[in-house]
Amino acid sequence: MRRRLAVVIATFLFLPLTAGLADANNGDVSDSGVIPNEGTLVPAPPVSEQHATLPVEQQNGGCSETNTGGQICISTSQGGESSQPSRAAAAAATDVPCDAEKVKWIYSRSKSCGIFKMTMTERDTKGEPLGTAELEAKAEMSLSASRLQWNSHLTVSYVKTTGKLTTPTVNVKLTAGCTKSCTAISPSPWFGSQSILPGGTLQGDVTYQVASPNKNDNIRANYEAYITQPGTLPTDPNASWGDPGNIRCDNEVSANPGCVYTVVKPLVVLPISQYHDAALTYLFQQKTQVEKWGEPGWEMHREADERIAESHRTYTCRTAAEGAVSTPELFVYMSSTIPDDSCDEYPFAATKEGGSAPGQCNDVYFTTDSNGGFHFHQANPTKPLSADAPCTRGHVKSSDNTNAGLDLGRQVQSLRILPGESYQLYIEQ
């Protein structure tokens, strides 16, 4: 992939990676590791981003005395599960989904949403419960990939009451904070303590800011709620919870510092509809080879040194003009059938895994049939296709090669992939 422009301009509800070989007679890998000299590739369905979940933590409750000698006590919800990063369907909303039925945090690389449930119990002078009020707090945070300041939208909803409360009115005060080098510069989503009735909602924004980025800081947000009834003496706070997802802010990816959630591994998405044979080159390696670079378990690692990336590119793509005598090492252009032919190498030159010996790579070109099906073909007559090849060299139009590299660069910046950090690659239709 051509990435001679500056690298700095260089990104889970689970969907299985169904991209692969169409049938056993059209590209399947044999026991010997040899694959047919042509076959069909089936791309995977579109995705939008990766998601991961973590349980709510730092939960506690407390009690406040009433003016009649009773108590108002707050209990907090328990539960939530962790999940491995999974890929979200592109048809889903761009925001991370927040399931009100489950107590958990869910993350993308730049966003999070957390649900926290609280129950207020009113007790009489003998400690017997009179009734309850159920409330739900939601925090939706959007980090910035190009700034050290971001917002969180907070909502408290009064879900329902049970029993016979002295009054159904509840007063809610909410404050937010964060750790390490982070500060909540506007910590309250609304002014002071606000009254709310069953079915009502309070909402507002808080703003966070990091004074100086430090990639080793594991910043976390936290929240404190003060839940009372009119006439009670508040205990501050009587409910609190934390966002368990670590936030990393750095100034190592581009001219502007920015922040991401590290719980989600970066996922670069390159569609065939945009990058054509370039994207098919990467898909061929993933779906026909033992070394499935870019898939889970075969992550690539960013090489930020452009001199090293260029040496990888030059070494792997040892090219010759059309008509040259083919050897396993030479990539002989097919300019008469592929206008502006170029060598697109995979794994990318700008990865630690790039720079494979040219004689070890599969050399392929691609065709598309009248039904839109994608087919790969052996390009080098001296080198049969092998499932054990650590790399692929694709015959790709120079414009597709370059544009795919530019998009990779943009996603590296938007996902803030640090030098040496691992990432996955997903090829969609």
Side-chain angles (χ1 to χ4, degrees), residues 286-329:
Q286 291 183 342
K287 300 309 172 185
T288 68
Q289 302 301 296
V290 173
E291 299 182 17
K292 303 178 183 298
W293 295 113
E295 290 202 343
W298 289 94
E299 286 81 3
M300 296 178 289
H301 298 77
R302 181 187 167 208
E303 175 55 70
D305 190 327
E306 181 60 20
R307 294 172 300 176
I308 295 176
E310 184 61 28
S311 69
H312 285 173
R313 186 178 296 111
T314 303
Y315 179 58
T316 300
C317 281
R318 188 174 301 174
T319 61
E322 187 169 31
V325 177
S326 295
T327 70
E329 291 77 20

Side-chain angles (χ1 to χ4, degrees), residues 386-409:
S386 168
D388 299 318
C391 52
T392 297
R393 300 188 301 186
H395 287 265
V396 175
K397 288 183 180 180
S398 181
S399 57
D400 290 336
N401 192 342
T402 298
N403 289 334
L406 290 173
D407 194 2
L408 172 64

Side-chain angles (χ1 to χ4, degrees), residues 135-422:
L135 297 97
E136 177 183 287
K138 180 193 295 186
E140 300 170 279
M141 187 177 292
S142 297
L143 304 177
S144 172
S146 58
R147 297 182 65 197
L148 296 178
Q149 184 173 301
W150 65 91
N151 294 326
S152 179
H153 186 72
L154 302 178
T155 305
V156 173
S157 302
Y158 195 159
V159 180
K160 66 178 181 178
T161 64
T162 64
K164 295 183 178 180
L165 296 170
T166 301
T167 173
T169 302
V170 170
N171 298 330
V172 181
K173 178 183 177 182
L174 191 63
T175 60
C178 51
T179 63
K180 302 293 180 68
S181 57
C182 174
T183 303
I185 58 176
S186 57
S188 299
W190 52 82
F191 181 76
S193 182
Q194 298 290 322
S195 297
I196 186 174
L197 289 168
T201 298
L202 295 171
Q203 59 182 321
D205 294 333
V206 299
T207 302
Y208 300 90
Q209 181 171 287
V210 170
S212 179
N214 183 343
K215 67 179 181 181
N216 297 315
D217 272 356
N218 291 319
I219 297 169
R220 294 189 180 187
N222 49 67
Y223 306 91
E224 295 180 338
Y226 309 77
I227 313 292
T228 62
Q229 277 183 314
T232 62
L233 302 174
T235 300
D236 291 344
N238 53 20
S240 63
W241 67 100
D243 181 341
N246 289 331
I247 298 171
R248 183 189 72 203
C249 298
D250 73 87
N251 59 356
E252 297 188 24
V253 176
S254 67
N256 298 313
C259 306
V260 292
Y261 280 109
T262 58
V263 67
V264 177
K265 188 179 293 295
L267 176 67
V268 173
V269 179
L270 296 176
I272 297 170
S273 60
Q274 288 183 256
Y275 305 117
H276 311 107
D277 293 358
L280 288 172
T281 297
Y282 321 143
L283 185 65
F284 173 84
Q285 179 73 30
Q286 291 183 342
K287 300 309 172 185
T288 68
Q289 302 301 296
V290 173
E291 299 182 17
K292 303 178 183 298
W293 295 113
E295 290 202 343
W298 289 94
E299 286 81 3
M300 296 178 289
H301 298 77
R302 181 187 167 208
E303 175 55 70
D305 190 327
E306 181 60 20
R307 294 172 300 176
I308 295 176
E310 184 61 28
S311 69
H312 285 173
R313 186 178 296 111
T314 303
Y315 179 58
T316 300
C317 281
R318 188 174 301 174
T319 61
E322 187 169 31
V325 177
S326 295
T327 70
E329 291 77 20
L330 277 183
F331 181 93
V332 180
Y333 289 127
M334 302 172 58
S335 304
S336 60
T337 56
I338 301 176
D340 199 21
D341 189 16
S342 71
C343 174
D344 197 356
E345 77 293 331
Y346 190 74
F348 303 133
T351 64
K352 302 294 185 183
E353 293 73 23
S356 299
Q360 296 179 349
C361 300
N362 282 318
D363 292 345
V364 290
Y365 70 95
F366 303 93
T367 57
T368 303
D369 63 33
S370 58
N371 295 319
F374 305 114
H375 307 279
F376 65 84
H377 308 269
Q378 176 184 338
N380 189 329
T382 70
K383 190 165 50 175
L385 298 181
S386 168
D388 299 318
C391 52
T392 297
R393 300 188 301 186
H395 287 265
V396 175
K397 288 183 180 180
S398 181
S399 57
D400 290 336
N401 192 342
T402 298
N403 289 334
L406 290 173
D407 194 2
L408 172 64
R410 288 188 292 268
Q411 293 185 60
V412 164
Q413 177 174 316
S414 64
L415 291 174
R416 301 205 68 84
I417 304 176
L418 294 179
E421 186 173 5
S422 65

Side-chain angles (χ1 to χ4, degrees), residues 96-98 104-107 111-115 138-141:
V96 292
C98 218
K104 65 180 181 181
W105 290 89
I106 185 165
Y107 302 89
K111 296 181 180 181
S112 70
C113 183
I115 296 289
K138 180 193 295 186
E140 300 170 279
M141 187 177 292

